[in-house]
Amino acid sequence: MSCAGQKQRVARSLALKLALLAGLSRCALLAQEPPNSQKPADAPPQATQTQKPPEKPPQQAPPETKTPPAPGQIQLEAPPEAPATPQGPAGTKAPAEQVGPNIIEGINFHGNRRIPSATLRARIFSHVGDVYDENALERDLHALWNTGFFDDVRVETTDGPKGGKIVNFYVREKKLVRSIDYKGLSTVSQSDVIDRFKERKVGLSIESQYDPVVVKRAEVVMEQLLAEHGHQFASVKARTRNIPPNSVALTFIVVEGPTVKVGKISFQGNTVFSASHLERAMKYSRPAGLPPWFYWFHKTYDKDKIQADLENIRELYQDDGYFYALANEPKTKMVDTRRPWPLFFLGKGRGKSVDITIPIEEGAQYRLGKFVIRGNKLFKQEFLAQVLQLKPGDVFNLSKVRKSLETYRKIYGQFGYINFTASPDIDADRKRHIINLALDFEEEKQYFVHRIEFSGNTKTRDKVIRREVILEEGAVFNTALWDYSILKINQLGFFDPIKKEDYEIKQNNKDSTVDILVKVKEKGKNSIGFSGGVSGYAGTFIGVNFATNNFLGLGETLSIQATYGTYQSLYSFGFTEPYLRDRPMTVGFTIFKSTYKYNQAQQLAATTGVSQQALQNSVIGQYYLQNFSQNSSGFTTFASYPLRRSFARVGLTYSFTISSIEAFNAASQAFYSALAFQSFQGPNSLTGITESQIMPTYLYNTVDNPINPTHGRYLYAALGFSGLGGNVQDIRPIVEAKYFHPINKKRDVIGLHLLGSTITGYGGLAPPPYSRFYLGGETDLRGFYIRSISPVAWFPQVASVCNRDAAGNIIPPLTATGQKGSGCGSSTSFPIYTPIFPGGDTQVVTNFEYRIPVIGSTVTLAYFIDAGSSFILYPSQLKINPSANYTINKQYPYFPTPTEIRPISGTNFKLYSDTGLELQVMLPIVNAPIRVFWAYNWRRGNEVFQPPKAGLPPMSLFPNEATYNSALIYFEPYRLQNPLNHFGFTVARSF
């Protein structure tokens, strides 16, 4: 059958069904009519109507020919027309229907502009057609008033044209607040005021209704907010200005008054703890760690904070056994303040302060009596008693009791008892001064993991997240393992930090299981960063990097980096696979090429203002300052595997590097050519340095965020072994530790960093000179110049001076014509000792930072202390090639030449340290913070060293005394002086 035929059959069938439904609906309507409405055909008419004469019937139009419906179409019947409105004689309308005198004929509203009448009609209970009732109208009046829309509501009734009642409600709408202004407000911001209004549910905002009661409450709330910030005498008054037709402009006039700060704090009745000890317990009200006369650092007076500090004092006593100690209501005295003389600059001017006297009732010291645990089924009493860390007879410590309750909750949570509770029952014997402690345990049910699901990961696959979860479905729900799982997911760096409110643990009490839903918010998968700035290592630099930290949603990392600077250039390409074949083995590789240029004269010129060209051409530049470059290229490959249910990983790294050193002045050429760090010697030893290194590693990392850490521990240990191929043979152990801890209600962060490493050669070889340790710069000791922290040693070289005549003038050369030329006509060479910085074979660096977020995690202010040392632990690793001193020993037998480089006394094992402030700014387009820091070097080098007297040449070596005197400049004392302070700028993080 064709498609057209099928369509016709369907259309006809549908038409028949519709006709059948229409017939059934008509039958149903007829069946619903009452019997008396169906009149018989022979019934007489009920009323006699006046008969009109017969009229000629109108001519009927021919019937309209209906077009049959086309095949496949449905013919719908038009609804019948409504009958015409009955009319009276001569076509007039029927008279209006009358209503009773006690019927509501109409309800009208007057005075409403913004609120529609339909809305108001829905709020009342009376309706048109109801019986008129004054009690009901009274109820309607109250209903309209309770809406809160109006300042005035009244009702009036009049007689209606149909004989009923017309009800008229007259309302006056409340005014709208079109604007809110705050004049004289400076201590707190307007956003703080708005937030406090929301917190206290004041209900005042723009476009809200003006209510004098609400405005008065807003005044009180603002005065309380200012009092919390030290303005106890602040006053707030509201002023309004009418805006036609029905609005107001609201202005709060704020007079903040003087800042009231906490003055002297004294105590009465304290014998156990000193006044200073009690004051230190008042962490909300005590001065900020400075002398009490330093007025700027006194806390503002806040009565609520004083009450909180009274509780802190009470807890201090309770932790020492004084269970019933009390810090009673303090006595306060308001005093005027002024700038202290003669230290007037330390004060803040005239103001107010509150001297506080706190009465103390210490009471007796209590000890622990009996300790029992009731209701424990899972663990024995002996095991649980050890958690309290208190034994009968010990001084009762309430803090240890609180900590033990939290520890019990964690212990039971590890075995699935997530609803466990422990209630302490303290029974004090006031006569014997002992406290009997009982803990009532309610273990409840043990829960298992039913299902773990994730949402929000549109790019990252579920298995990438699930493989970081230590918990398994079907296993006991372990709260500790779940916390570790969240930390491991956060360490991926693919999502915004997951907090407790970002996951839901739903308990199924019927089958004792939990369903876990983790809601994640993905970060950008690909990132392109541009960096640039000034660095001690790279100089002026610019760089670009591309990284995808979640390649194809599988967790792989692909990175490309290119950085070019005046001192250092680096180009690298790397790839990391975190799970090899869905196993928790991380593998990856990096290919790199780097160039490092070290020009000591250039850095010295930048800091002293002396011309770089003049320094390089001077005696200091040629014989004292280092100038070389190091080129390296190679690759690194690594693999690591996690230890079961731990944040620790063990791994193995292999690297292959080809390096070369190019010296640009006599000092660097002589020094690097003389060191015996390869099996062959001479100038060729500076090229073709090939190092093949294998390094087993151990890593433990619980740091929550690699860029802005707030808590966690980091421990890295490695042992590098070079010699499996190549011409470098050395051993390098490395240990690095980091620790981050939030304080001050988790707003601030304390960070600690420790790095230690040493290197030594074996098989008769020494490590390459570039592998030795130099400190100084923004990555370790910020206040010191790059490579400026190193032991100092004397190194033999050969210098020369121009011969002079008896008058001390330089003897010039003669030209071919016999004329005097320029420069030296002849010179005398002689050996000298020059200071060199050989670097240490061992380094120890420690850093401390106190980080204070200023604007979220974007801007941070940090106070830092850096300390470290680079020293020589193995002098035998600095042997000098015998051929390097062959010329000196042969031509100048009087001059003693060393066989190895030994540090000058006082420069080895010397501790260097600095302290200062650092501003860290995180920009979206840069993957590391921009750091601006100022450091004060309170432990620096500032010594004068005298060259060995045995190196002074004899007078007979020179043609006359004048030439001899000109050579004495090479034997003057050498001064080593680090800067007192240093200002730096870089793009990197210290640790």
Side-chain angles (χ1 to χ4, degrees):
M1 184 182 292
S2 64
C3 294
Q6 291 180 358
K7 292 181 179 178
Q8 291 178 2
R9 289 190 59 185
V10 172
R12 285 196 294 269
S13 176
L14 183 59
L16 290 174
K17 291 181 180 180
L18 291 175
L20 180 60
L21 289 175
L24 291 175
S25 62
R26 289 194 187 97
C27 294
L29 291 175
L30 290 174
Q32 291 176 0
E33 293 182 2
N36 57 3
S37 63
Q38 301 178 2
K39 300 178 182 179
D42 56 351
Q46 294 182 2
T48 304
Q49 297 183 0
T50 305
Q51 299 290 331
K52 293 184 179 181
E55 298 179 357
K56 184 178 180 179
Q59 186 177 359
Q60 296 183 359
E64 181 180 357
T65 303
K66 297 184 179 180
T67 306
Q73 295 184 355
I74 300 175
Q75 179 71 15
L76 299 178
E77 296 182 358
E81 296 182 359
T85 304
Q87 296 183 356
T92 60
K93 295 182 179 180
E97 183 181 357
Q98 298 294 318
V99 298
N102 291 329
I103 301 300
I104 297 176
E105 182 179 332
I107 300 176
N108 301 321
F109 296 92
H110 306 276
N112 54 315
R113 293 174 178 270
R114 299 187 307 273
I115 305 172
S117 297
T119 302
L120 300 179
R121 193 170 284 109
R123 294 298 183 100
I124 62 177
F125 301 95
S126 299
H127 302 283
V128 175
D130 292 348
V131 177
Y132 176 79
D133 186 359
E134 291 187 355
N135 293 329
L137 293 181
E138 184 72 18
R139 184 176 60 178
D140 294 338
L141 191 69
H142 286 291
L144 292 176
W145 176 260
N146 291 334
T147 60
F149 297 153
F150 310 108
D151 285 333
D152 185 30
V153 180
R154 59 189 178 90
V155 62
E156 295 181 2
T157 59
T158 59
D159 295 331
K162 298 181 181 181
K165 296 291 185 180
I166 303 295
V167 180
N168 297 293
F169 288 97
Y170 294 90
V171 299
R172 186 172 74 242
E173 293 179 335
K174 288 185 176 181
K175 298 179 180 180
L176 282 183
V177 179
R178 292 296 184 185
S179 64
I180 303 177
D181 191 16
Y182 305 87
K183 290 188 176 180
L185 185 67
S186 61
T187 301
V188 296
S189 62
Q190 294 186 15
S191 60
D192 294 334
V193 175
I194 295 173
D195 292 341
R196 181 57 62 90
F197 283 171
K198 293 179 180 179
E199 178 184 343
R200 299 293 176 86
K201 299 180 180 180
V202 175
L204 179 63
S205 62
I206 296 177
E207 298 298 328
S208 65
Q209 295 179 350
Y210 174 76
D211 189 343
V213 177
V214 174
V215 173
K216 186 63 178 178
R217 174 166 169 76
E219 293 176 354
V220 175
V221 170
M222 290 182 63
E223 289 178 353
Q224 293 175 350
L225 178 62
L226 291 171
E228 293 176 6
H229 288 76
H231 295 274
Q232 304 291 331
F233 299 96
S235 64
V236 180
K237 299 296 181 183
R239 299 290 183 266
T240 59
R241 177 174 57 85
N242 290 327
I243 300 177
N246 196 28
S247 302
V248 296
L250 182 61
T251 303
F252 289 100
I253 308 299
V254 181
V255 180
E256 294 185 344
T259 301
V260 181
K261 293 202 171 187
V262 177
K264 297 179 180 179
I265 301 177
S266 57
F267 302 89
Q268 294 178 348
N270 58 305
T271 58
V272 178
F273 298 107
S274 64
S276 60
H277 195 168
L278 295 176
E279 186 175 352
R280 286 196 298 270
M282 301 177 66
K283 59 181 180 180
Y284 299 116
S285 305
R286 67 169 186 255
L290 292 172
W293 42 264
F294 208 123
Y295 188 76
W296 280 345
F297 285 86
H298 277 235
K299 301 289 183 65
T300 55
Y301 177 78
D302 187 346
K303 189 174 181 180
D304 293 338
K305 292 183 178 179
I306 295 295
Q307 294 297 326
D309 281 333
L310 296 181
E311 186 63 25
N312 291 334
I313 294 175
R314 181 168 174 264
E315 291 178 358
L316 176 66
Y317 274 96
Q318 289 180 336
D319 291 346
D320 199 43
Y322 296 87
F323 187 74
Y324 290 103
L326 291 176
N328 293 317
E329 189 68 22
K331 303 174 184 178
T332 59
K333 180 182 179 182
M334 189 77 66
V335 296
D336 296 328
T337 61
R338 60 181 181 178
R339 288 189 172 92
W341 184 263
L343 302 176
F344 61 89
F345 55 87
L346 297 179
K348 201 178 180 182
R350 296 185 178 276
K352 297 284 186 178
S353 66
V354 177
D355 292 343
I356 303 173
T357 302
I358 302 175
I360 302 294
E361 294 182 11
E362 295 179 336
Q365 188 181 48
Y366 285 75
R367 296 181 178 271
L368 180 65
K370 296 180 180 179
F371 173 58
V372 295
I373 298 177
R374 300 183 292 234
N376 57 306
K377 301 177 182 178
L378 184 63
F379 300 103
K380 294 183 179 180
Q381 171 87 18
E382 293 77 10
F383 169 74
L384 296 175
Q386 298 176 1
V387 177
L388 182 62
Q389 296 182 354
L390 284 177
K391 298 178 181 179
D394 292 347
V395 174
F396 187 79
N397 189 318
L398 190 59
S399 292
K400 290 185 177 180
V401 176
R402 294 193 182 102
K403 291 180 181 179
S404 66
L405 297 180
E406 180 66 19
T407 304
Y408 288 135
R409 186 188 65 83
K410 292 181 179 179
I411 292 175
Y412 273 85
Q414 293 177 8
F415 292 88
Y417 296 87
I418 57 179
N419 294 327
F420 165 83
T421 57
S423 303
D425 183 9
I426 297 177
D427 181 18
D429 188 342
R430 291 180 176 266
K431 293 183 179 179
R432 300 169 56 193
H433 297 158
I434 61 173
I435 291 179
N436 299 318
L437 177 64
L439 297 180
D440 295 322
F441 281 12
E442 295 182 9
E443 296 179 348
E444 299 292 341
K445 294 182 179 181
Q446 185 182 30
Y447 283 81
F448 297 82
V449 180
H450 176 238
R451 183 172 297 174
I452 302 175
E453 296 180 340
F454 308 95
S455 65
N457 53 318
T458 58
K459 301 176 183 178
T460 307
R461 303 187 186 183
D462 272 11
K463 72 174 185 178
V464 175
I465 312 176
R466 193 175 299 276
R467 64 196 183 192
E468 302 297 331
V469 178
I470 305 176
L471 280 178
E472 297 178 357
E473 294 180 350
V476 173
F477 180 69
N478 189 321
T479 55
L481 294 183
W482 177 247
D483 292 338
Y484 291 155
S485 301
I486 294 298
L487 179 57
K488 289 177 71 66
I489 295 175
N490 285 331
Q491 288 179 338
L492 290 175
F494 302 162
F495 316 103
D496 289 344
I498 300 175
K499 302 178 182 179
K500 287 187 176 181
E501 56 268 20
D502 295 327
Y503 58 84
E504 177 183 354
I505 301 177
K506 182 181 178 181
Q507 299 182 15
N508 306 314
N509 295 326
K510 186 176 180 180
D511 53 1
S512 300
T513 60
V514 294
D515 293 329
I516 306 174
L517 175 62
V518 183
K519 302 175 183 178
V520 300
K521 184 178 180 182
E522 291 182 321
K523 295 181 179 179
K525 183 174 65 174
N526 300 327
S527 64
I528 299 177
F530 297 92
S531 60
V534 179
S535 168
Y537 285 102
T540 304
F541 70 96
I542 184 172
V544 60
N545 61 80
F546 168 81
T548 172
N549 58 0
N550 192 5
F551 188 59
L552 299 179
L554 296 174
E556 293 96 341
T557 300
L558 178 69
S559 62
I560 302 174
Q561 180 181 0
T563 303
Y564 177 78
T566 54
Y567 299 156
Q568 186 178 28
S569 298
L570 174 64
Y571 309 93
S572 66
F573 171 80
F575 178 80
T576 301
E577 169 60 64
Y579 272 72
L580 183 64
R581 297 183 179 272
D582 290 332
R583 295 182 179 180
M585 175 179 288
T586 300
V587 296
F589 68 89
T590 302
I591 303 173
F592 64 89
K593 178 178 176 56
S594 65
T595 301
Y596 177 70
K597 301 176 182 178
Y598 180 67
N599 190 342
Q600 199 171 2
Q602 184 180 14
Q603 295 192 3
L604 189 61
T607 56
T608 60
V610 181
S611 170
Q612 178 182 343
Q613 189 67 28
L615 282 174
Q616 291 178 345
N617 296 334
S618 66
V619 174
I620 295 178
Q622 285 294 320
Y623 297 103
Y624 287 29
L625 304 181
Q626 298 291 328
N627 186 2
F628 66 92
S629 69
Q630 174 192 339
N631 299 312
S632 300
S633 60
F635 69 91
T636 299
T637 181
F638 56 88
S640 65
Y641 193 86
L643 301 181
R644 179 173 174 80
R645 292 191 174 184
S646 172
F647 288 91
R649 303 183 71 94
V650 292
L652 189 66
T653 301
Y654 174 78
S655 61
F656 183 83
T657 307
I658 300 177
S659 303
S660 62
I661 299 175
E662 184 178 1
F664 297 108
N665 65 353
S668 298
Q669 180 68 37
F671 173 61
Y672 288 120
S673 299
L675 292 179
F677 63 90
Q678 289 196 36
S679 57
F680 53 93
Q681 304 169 2
N684 293 332
S685 62
L686 302 180
T687 60
I689 307 174
T690 304
E691 183 174 7
S692 177
Q693 184 184 76
I694 187 170
M695 178 182 292
T697 61
Y698 172 84
L699 174 64
Y700 177 84
N701 185 13
T702 61
V703 177
D704 58 340
N705 190 297
I707 303 298
N708 291 309
T710 59
H711 65 271
R713 295 178 175 88
Y714 175 95
L715 177 62
Y716 174 79
L719 179 62
F721 182 82
S722 300
L724 300 177
N727 49 28
V728 175
Q729 297 179 357
D730 58 40
I731 300 175
R732 180 200 296 259
I734 303 172
V735 176
E736 184 178 14
K738 301 177 186 178
Y739 175 74
F740 300 95
H741 182 70
I743 61 172
N744 193 15
K745 296 183 178 180
K746 298 185 178 181
R747 290 192 295 261
D748 306 336
V749 178
I750 287 179
L752 297 173
H753 174 239
L754 176 65
L755 173 64
S757 181
T758 185
I759 187 171
T760 180
Y762 67 93
L765 299 181
Y770 57 78
S771 298
R772 304 185 68 84
F773 303 115
Y774 296 85
L775 298 182
E778 60 268 14
T779 60
D780 39 60
L781 274 71
R782 282 160 269 202
F784 296 84
Y785 296 141
I786 181 69
R787 295 174 62 97
S788 63
I789 298 180
S790 165
V792 184
W794 297 111
F795 184 75
Q797 290 192 58
V798 177
S800 63
V801 295
C802 296
N803 293 331
R804 300 173 181 267
D805 57 19
N809 300 317
I810 296 177
I811 301 175
L814 297 178
T815 64
T817 60
Q819 302 293 326
K820 293 183 179 180
S822 59
C824 289
S826 61
S827 62
T828 301
S829 299
F830 53 93
I832 62 172
Y833 285 106
T834 60
I836 60 169
F837 299 83
D841 52 41
T842 306
Q843 68 170 352
V844 177
V845 179
T846 180
N847 308 96
F848 166 83
E849 285 191 7
Y850 184 89
R851 299 174 181 175
I852 305 173
V854 179
I855 303 177
S857 60
T858 305
V859 181
T860 303
L861 181 66
Y863 167 74
F864 64 85
I865 300 176
D866 304 324
S869 177
S870 173
F871 50 89
I872 298 175
L873 194 61
Y874 313 106
S876 60
Q877 297 293 304
L878 286 174
K879 291 184 178 181
I880 300 177
N881 294 326
S883 60
N885 295 330
Y886 175 78
T887 303
I888 298 179
N889 293 332
K890 182 178 180 180
Q891 296 183 3
Y892 311 100
Y894 71 92
F895 190 86
T897 57
T899 58
E900 61 184 34
I901 297 176
R902 291 189 172 273
I904 301 174
S905 177
T907 65
N908 203 23
F909 302 102
K910 181 178 178 62
L911 178 65
Y912 296 82
S913 182
D914 59 50
T915 183
L917 295 175
E918 179 175 282
L919 185 66
Q920 305 167 357
V921 182
M922 183 69 67
L923 296 181
I925 61 174
V926 180
N927 293 331
I930 296 177
R931 297 163 49 208
V932 180
F933 59 88
W934 177 86
Y936 173 76
N937 301 328
W938 66 282
R939 283 193 62 87
R940 62 190 181 113
N942 189 16
E943 296 88 8
V944 177
F945 305 104
Q946 183 69 41
K949 295 183 178 180
L952 194 66
M955 182 72 176
S956 59
L957 188 64
F958 299 88
N960 52 35
E961 186 177 357
T963 305
Y964 175 78
N965 292 334
S966 66
L968 294 180
I969 188 176
Y970 291 94
F971 301 93
E972 292 181 352
Y974 173 73
R975 185 179 187 87
L976 175 63
Q977 184 178 21
N978 297 117
L980 184 61
N981 52 66
H982 178 57
F983 178 83
F985 167 79
T986 186
V987 182
R989 184 173 284 284
S990 55
F991 68 94

